[in-house]
Amino acid sequence: IGATAHLGDGTVIQNSAISILNGKFEMIADASRIRIDPSAFDAIYRMYEKHLYPSFIIPNTTIGITEIDAIRASKDFKETGDLNPNVRTLIAYNTDSKIAKTVRSNGVLIAQVTPRGGMISGQSSIMYLDGWNWEDAALRADDGIHLNWPSSFHQSGWWAEPGTINENEKYNESITQLKNFFKKATAYTHSSSLIDLQMESM
């Protein structure tokens, strides 16, 4: 009782009463509007001047598919090639990730684990940051295919020493490549006797 409860849908209860039964929320109410019988509960925790959230959700992250950026073997978020709709972060997700455990201790319980690289990076998955294996951690197996739209300009250098901004001479070529890929996927849905993993994913 007493915490400021943020329900996740925009509702905020300044002086809340929250009941938890078998690890799940049983009741969330305004403590100033209800009567509480202390004998009905195993324990009552007074959390005045504290904020309580069901969990934070982190979108568009590589948590669970990368561990140490400097070590290539621990980076499982990028495949070779520009068009990889068949790549799935789901089966690459590592439930033993030390980063996931650290992030979870700060209130982030769910993550949208997203692939990187190329124009079509692959399929992201919504994962719990707690689980024995990727099957156990999956909240939503394949929630979308990620497309990185080609940039019409690119800049050389880096943030500390920015270089010149130049026009991307391959911009139109990249757009044509994407359009043709989508046309091929559309044609595949109408008539195909052979299985193509890329097209199946699209």
Side-chain angles (χ1 to χ4, degrees), residues 91-110:
I91 55 177
Y93 183 74
N94 177 21
T95 53
D96 294 324
S97 169
K98 298 288 189 286
I99 296 172
K101 288 179 175 63
T102 304
V103 171
R104 195 173 74 235
S105 69
N106 286 284
V108 180
L109 303 184
I110 298 170

Side-chain angles (χ1 to χ4, degrees), residues 1-5 7 13-20 25-36 41 44-45 52:
I1 60 170
T4 300
L7 305 193
I13 302 174
Q14 297 296 334
N15 180 26
S16 67
I18 299 171
S19 173
I20 299 172
F25 291 114
E26 183 185 35
M27 175 200 71
I28 302 174
D30 189 335
S32 59
R33 295 188 179 189
I34 63 170
R35 184 173 294 172
I36 298 171
F41 300 96
I44 293 179
Y45 299 95
L52 204 118

Side-chain angles (χ1 to χ4, degrees), residues 57-121:
I57 301 169
I58 183 169
N60 196 23
T61 181
T62 59
I63 288 175
I65 55 174
T66 185
E67 201 69 17
I68 303 168
D69 282 335
I71 300 176
R72 175 128 171 66
S74 76
K75 296 195 289 187
D76 213 6
F77 57 81
K78 185 176 180 180
E79 293 291 329
T80 57
D82 283 334
L83 305 168
N84 297 303
N86 52 309
V87 169
R88 301 172 77 203
T89 57
L90 179 70
I91 55 177
Y93 183 74
N94 177 21
T95 53
D96 294 324
S97 169
K98 298 288 189 286
I99 296 172
K101 288 179 175 63
T102 304
V103 171
R104 195 173 74 235
S105 69
N106 286 284
V108 180
L109 303 184
I110 298 170
Q112 179 197 35
V113 184
T114 308
R116 299 283 194 264
M119 283 191 288
I120 297 180
S121 304

